[in-house]
Amino acid sequence: MAPKESGSSWKVTLGVSAGISIYKACDLVRRLRERGAEVRVVMTKNATRMVSPVTFQALSGNPVISDLFEGSGEPSISHIELAKWEDLLVVAPATADILGKFARGIADDFLSTHYLACTSKVLLVPAMNGAMWRHAAVQENVRILAARGHALLSPGRGSLACGDVDDGRLPEPSEIADAALRLIANKGEMAGLKVLVTAGPTREPLDGVRFISNRSSGKMGYAIAAEAALRGAEVTLVSGPVALEAPFGSERVMTETAEDMEREVRSRFPKCDVLVMAAAVSDYKARKVLPGKRKKDGLTWKPELAAAPDILKGLVPLKRPGQFVCGFAAETSRLKENAIKKLKEKKLDMVAANDVSKAGVGFDSEMNALTLFTPDGAEQRIREGTKASCASALWDAIMEARGGK
Ligand code: CTP
């Protein structure tokens, strides 16, 4: 067995437990290998009842381990040897059962015993029924594992095997493989850094039931927070109303209006090293919020709008040397001109501009493309990719602009 130092590829143990989304784990092996990983698969006994180990063996090119004591009396590699070999342990899907065993140190099969011997980085990707996911026991175990320093990918929302549309869905294999690669590539270079991120839209009430908002889904800001946490930063995410799970490793503060968001950002700004304002904050609010539901009277309703606070502008006098502030510029025309205007007016260290008029990127989409502008006149393009990949490139650029500090 090759020791960790030798060989150029990175070595992944993929733990597979018995969730319906196990079929995605087959594809995950391929996506990991595409990214240069050597993969060894460990399956729980129940997982082998859902997909044959032969499938994982063929896909990984390595024997699959599922038992502490196989036919010959021992598996092809011991859990200790495997721990010395691997650079990373990924468990996908991670069921409620395996999360519980890992959290509490129960070692009654190869995967749970191997976990106790594992000294590498760990990436856990939970997937299960939404009610199970929300159960206090599961959430407590997840908190224990996150506090232990393991990376976790939040389950997505979507249609589950049980027929419900709910939280609990395994993220796409390419997303998991990208997160694994980033975990291996980063050396925790953001450890000790305090990062504040805003995300999502704000809601400005008109009356007791209606509000003004915009099409921001919050996905870009959430990806930025998740990436910073993955790189070891201490992250606070101030979020507008969105339908997303809090990213692991960050403290989330939910807000509603521009004024709420401003209050939460201003109180945290003095302590942060980097602020990324990805929220699509409303520029207008109702001058007077009507009590209750305004009744229909068949006439025109002209609610009077007043300016909402510009959060970034208001932070300019509070900014201290060494702090780095990155704003976003959502543009539908004259991208560069408008973005540079915002960079100057809001005294930013960087502005990430995106063209929100393009179909398929930006607002309410899975993909994005950014152009970064800095006060020295430099311009850097982040080409179209998933919001997670844009977030990763954005942090590379921020860290470089800060001079690696
Ligand atoms: N922003 C803010 N407070 C506001 C509006 C925007 O802090 N009330 C921040 C956004 O989070 C973003 C940057 O300012 O980082 C630019 O936001 P954008 O909506 O692109 O521009 P605006 O300043 O609102 O200008 P305009 O709507 O005229 O383009």
Side-chain angles (χ1 to χ4, degrees):
M1 173 89 4
K4 275 185 184 178
E5 303 78 50
S6 71
S8 56
S9 65
W10 47 296
K11 299 175 178 67
V12 177
T13 301
L14 174 62
V16 178
S17 55
I20 294 298
S21 54
I22 191 170
Y23 67 95
K24 286 190 184 169
C26 302
D27 191 34
L28 176 57
V29 177
R30 300 183 55 188
R31 302 293 154 235
L32 287 165
R33 292 188 74 185
E34 270 172 14
R35 287 160 180 76
E38 192 182 331
V39 183
R40 282 181 170 265
V41 177
V42 177
M43 300 177 78
T44 62
K45 261 264 150 321
N46 282 339
T48 64
R49 298 172 66 181
M50 303 174 99
V51 171
S52 163
V54 178
T55 306
F56 282 105
Q57 180 162 336
L59 290 168
S60 68
N62 277 316
V64 171
I65 313 158
S66 60
D67 204 341
L68 271 172
F69 308 100
E70 290 187 338
S72 59
E74 56 181 87
S76 51
I77 174 174
S78 79
H79 57 284
I80 308 287
E81 268 183 291
L82 191 62
K84 286 184 185 152
W85 171 83
E86 74 197 356
D87 299 307
L88 177 69
L89 168 64
V90 178
V91 183
T95 56
D97 178 61
I98 206 75
L99 293 172
K101 282 184 188 170
F102 282 12
R104 311 290 161 165
I106 295 167
D108 64 354
D109 65 358
F110 192 98
L111 184 56
S112 52
T113 309
H114 169 63
Y115 168 73
L116 293 185
C118 167
T119 53
S120 314
K121 292 181 179 176
V122 178
L123 172 63
L124 303 169
V125 195
M128 64 199 73
N129 161 274
M132 290 172 72
W133 170 244
R134 285 185 292 275
H135 195 282
V138 174
Q139 288 299 312
E140 196 179 318
N141 288 333
V142 163
R143 275 196 297 277
I144 291 173
L145 293 163
R148 212 171 274 165
H150 300 332
L152 287 114
L153 280 186
S154 303
R157 198 175 170 79
S159 80
L160 304 177
C162 51
D164 298 347
V165 173
D166 204 345
D167 299 324
R169 203 160 180 264
L170 193 76
E172 291 312 308
S174 55
E175 230 177 283
I176 303 171
D178 281 343
L181 184 56
R182 292 204 307 278
L183 204 58
I184 279 293
N186 100 71
K187 314 220 165 11
E189 77 266 37
M190 286 175 67
L193 218 58
K194 290 189 171 58
V195 166
L196 184 59
V197 180
T198 67
T202 61
R203 273 184 193 167
E204 310 302 328
L206 293 173
D207 68 4
V209 296
R210 302 177 178 93
F211 57 81
I212 312 172
S213 192
N214 58 64
R215 294 163 65 90
S216 167
S217 63
K219 285 179 187 161
M220 190 64 236
Y222 273 56
I224 291 167
E227 179 66 22
L230 209 58
R231 294 182 183 212
E234 196 181 304
V235 184
T236 305
L237 172 63
V238 177
S239 173
V242 295
L244 297 172
E245 284 254 342
F248 286 105
S250 59
E251 183 207 347
R252 180 168 71 164
V253 182
M254 294 303 290
T255 61
E256 185 94 8
T257 63
E259 271 163 16
D260 289 343
M261 188 176 275
E262 183 184 44
R263 192 180 52 251
E264 299 300 340
V265 170
R266 279 179 79 94
S267 69
R268 288 169 176 81
F269 182 66
K271 282 208 184 112
C272 82
D273 300 302
V274 182
L275 165 68
V276 182
M277 271 297 294
V281 187
S282 177
D283 292 327
Y284 298 98
K285 61 172 189 174
R287 190 173 288 286
K288 190 167 169 281
V289 180
L290 302 178
K293 183 184 171 209
R294 183 189 188 276
K295 294 306 284 179
K296 173 172 65 188
D297 58 11
L299 303 172
T300 314
W301 179 19
K302 285 188 188 162
E304 203 182 330
L305 302 183
D310 187 316
I311 303 175
L312 269 182
K313 239 187 201 167
L315 294 177
V316 173
L318 304 183
K319 197 178 165 199
R320 57 176 167 76
Q323 270 185 318
F324 191 99
V325 178
C326 172
F328 266 67
E331 305 298 342
T332 51
S333 66
R334 299 207 302 266
L335 184 110
K336 182 170 179 173
E337 189 186 322
N338 287 328
I340 289 177
K341 196 164 161 241
K342 284 171 193 170
L343 183 79
K344 288 186 179 150
E345 275 178 11
K346 306 197 186 201
K347 301 222 174 354
L348 305 173
D349 299 291
M350 182 180 283
V351 65
N354 57 348
D355 182 348
V356 290
S357 66
K358 271 193 190 165
V361 292
F363 272 15
D364 206 10
S365 136
E366 297 305 320
M367 310 293 276
N368 210 354
L370 300 171
T371 311
L372 310 181
F373 300 96
T374 40
D376 59 3
E379 178 175 339
Q380 184 188 332
R381 256 168 217 227
I382 298 179
R383 61 186 174 81
E384 189 174 327
T386 60
K387 289 189 170 173
S389 72
C390 288
S392 176
L394 177 66
W395 279 118
D396 286 345
I398 292 176
M399 293 308 282
E400 198 186 325
R402 291 182 81 242
K405 283 174 281 165

